[in-house]
Amino acid sequence: IGMYSKSGTQVAAFTFDTFFNGTGTPCDSANQGDPVVLYDALADRWLISDFAWSNANGPYYECFAASKTGDPVSGGWWMYALQTSATQLGDYPKMGVWPDGIYMSVNLFLGNTYKGVAVWALNRDDFYSGAPLRNVSFSLSTTQYSLLPANLRGAQPPAGSRPTCLALGAK
């Protein structure tokens, strides 16, 4: 991971294994890729994710870090490890920020066999307070593929608005 100032000067550099260390899961030493970085402008916070597993047969995790302040270099981070499945790899994770939550989608694979899409709604307040991460999730059939959660950019949406997912392709 490299962090840079707006002028392009590198201000921090470290590996995913070093960064996520301390979760007590494969996130500590077996990060495998597909990183995502998001900025939540409403909260002035940064989110970083990466997936991890130590055994090719699972269990599989999504590793999350949420900045404690708007300064990702010196403000500190809350670390989370979410077991996404005991047996199926959650590949191609995508995330979106909305005022009421952080949303994530993955493509599920058992070995090389596509098993559908899984989606999560993650509690946004938990991310930014260090509380245990509450979430809800469900899986969709194999007719969906690579959903992309909506990501808020700009003004706060009207009260009660809900994000949507955009299907990037059909399987």
Side-chain angles (χ1 to χ4, degrees), residues 7 14 19 41 61 64 67 69 82 85 105 134 139 155 161 163 167 171:
S7 66
F14 37 85
F19 182 62
Y61 291 83
F64 297 103
S67 67
T69 71
L82 175 68
S85 175
S105 66
R134 293 171 288 168
S139 297
S161 296
K171 177 86 173 133

Side-chain angles (χ1 to χ4, degrees), residues 35-85:
V36 176
V37 176
L38 288 176
Y39 177 67
D40 183 343
L42 294 176
D44 188 29
R45 298 289 188 273
W46 290 90
L47 296 167
I48 298 175
S49 75
D50 185 45
F51 58 37
W53 65 88
S54 55
N55 180 317
N57 296 319
Y60 300 96
Y61 291 83
E62 190 69 26
C63 314
F64 297 103
S67 67
K68 293 180 180 180
T69 71
D71 181 349
V73 177
S74 61
W77 293 87
W78 298 111
M79 300 296 174
Y80 297 95
L82 175 68
Q83 184 177 328
T84 54
S85 175

Side-chain angles (χ1 to χ4, degrees), residues 51-170:
F51 58 37
W53 65 88
S54 55
N55 180 317
N57 296 319
Y60 300 96
Y61 291 83
E62 190 69 26
C63 314
F64 297 103
S67 67
K68 293 180 180 180
T69 71
D71 181 349
V73 177
S74 61
W77 293 87
W78 298 111
M79 300 296 174
Y80 297 95
L82 175 68
Q83 184 177 328
T84 54
S85 175
T87 59
Q88 297 179 26
L89 169 64
D91 195 20
Y92 200 61
K94 297 298 171 213
M95 293 174 45
V97 172
W98 203 253
D100 66 348
I102 306 299
Y103 294 85
M104 181 178 75
S105 66
V106 301
N107 293 327
L108 296 171
F109 287 89
L110 182 58
N112 291 326
T113 304
Y114 177 66
K115 293 297 196 175
V117 173
V119 296
W120 283 263
L122 305 151
N123 188 288
R124 187 170 167 264
D125 293 335
D126 293 348
F127 266 116
Y128 304 141
S129 69
L133 187 59
R134 293 171 288 168
N135 68 88
V136 295
S137 68
F138 60 92
S139 297
L140 303 171
S141 74
T142 58
T143 59
Q144 287 83 32
Y145 194 76
S146 295
L147 297 180
L148 180 61
N151 193 27
L152 178 67
R153 296 181 191 257
Q156 176 115 356
S161 296
R162 296 286 178 248
T164 58
C165 283
L166 170 67
L168 294 179

